[in-house]
Amino acid sequence: GSTGGGNVDLNSVSFTKVGSVATGAQYTSLTIGPDGKLYGLTLGGDIHRWTISSVDGSLTNKETLNAWKATYGDRSAVGLAFSPNSTANNLIAFITHCSSGLSSAPDWDGKISRLTGANLETERLIVTNLPRSLRD
């Protein structure tokens, strides 16, 4: 049989909804970390992390990682990506963020921070004064 792409009949593909995993959060980025866990960045800057079951893909053990915000307080955050040099035992991520809120924002308030540590708790600002729109 074929093992790679090609003409595959997708008419019989389906998904089963097994319940809600995350409610009440506005996610701006989702990524799987080098540790095999799912990371979801919320608009408010909290990072949610789940264990992904190798059996059925279900998500469990939700953690909220937000120590990185200690310097800033509430933030609006959009981008989260892991460094190619990141490993399961040496997490290195980058996050884009700016002052909290979606309107009347300062013009040059965008930032990129490098997050490290087992819970992405150590923040180091690496780019500052990026342009930001007045709204959204």
Side-chain angles (χ1 to χ4, degrees):
S2 176
T3 59
N7 296 325
V8 177
D9 179 14
L10 297 178
N11 290 330
S12 61
V13 172
S14 65
F15 296 91
T16 302
K17 185 175 180 179
V18 295
S20 58
V21 174
T23 57
Q26 297 173 309
Y27 291 99
T28 56
S29 292
L30 293 171
T31 189
I32 296 177
D35 53 2
K37 295 183 178 186
L38 178 67
Y39 289 77
L41 176 65
T42 69
L43 183 59
D46 290 341
I47 301 168
H48 294 165
R49 174 169 63 187
W50 295 269
T51 301
I52 305 171
S53 169
S54 61
V55 176
D56 62 4
S58 62
L59 303 176
T60 58
N61 303 323
K62 178 183 172 186
E63 300 172 85
T64 299
L65 314 177
N66 58 16
W68 78 270
K69 297 190 307 182
T71 303
Y72 305 101
D74 286 337
R75 303 298 286 162
S76 288
V78 176
L80 174 68
F82 282 92
S83 167
N85 298 328
S86 186
T87 66
N89 295 320
N90 184 29
L91 296 178
I92 304 167
F94 297 93
I95 189 170
T96 60
H97 57 99
C98 55
S99 60
S100 182
L102 296 177
S103 61
S104 301
D107 291 335
W108 299 94
D109 189 42
K111 298 176 180 12
I112 300 174
S113 290
R114 182 178 188 262
L115 307 181
T116 56
N119 294 309
L120 300 177
E121 70 275 13
T122 304
E123 181 266 349
R124 188 180 76 179
L125 190 61
I126 58 171
V127 178
T128 189
N129 297 331
L130 294 171
R132 175 176 174 187
S133 65
L134 179 65
R135 181 164 158 68
D136 298 339

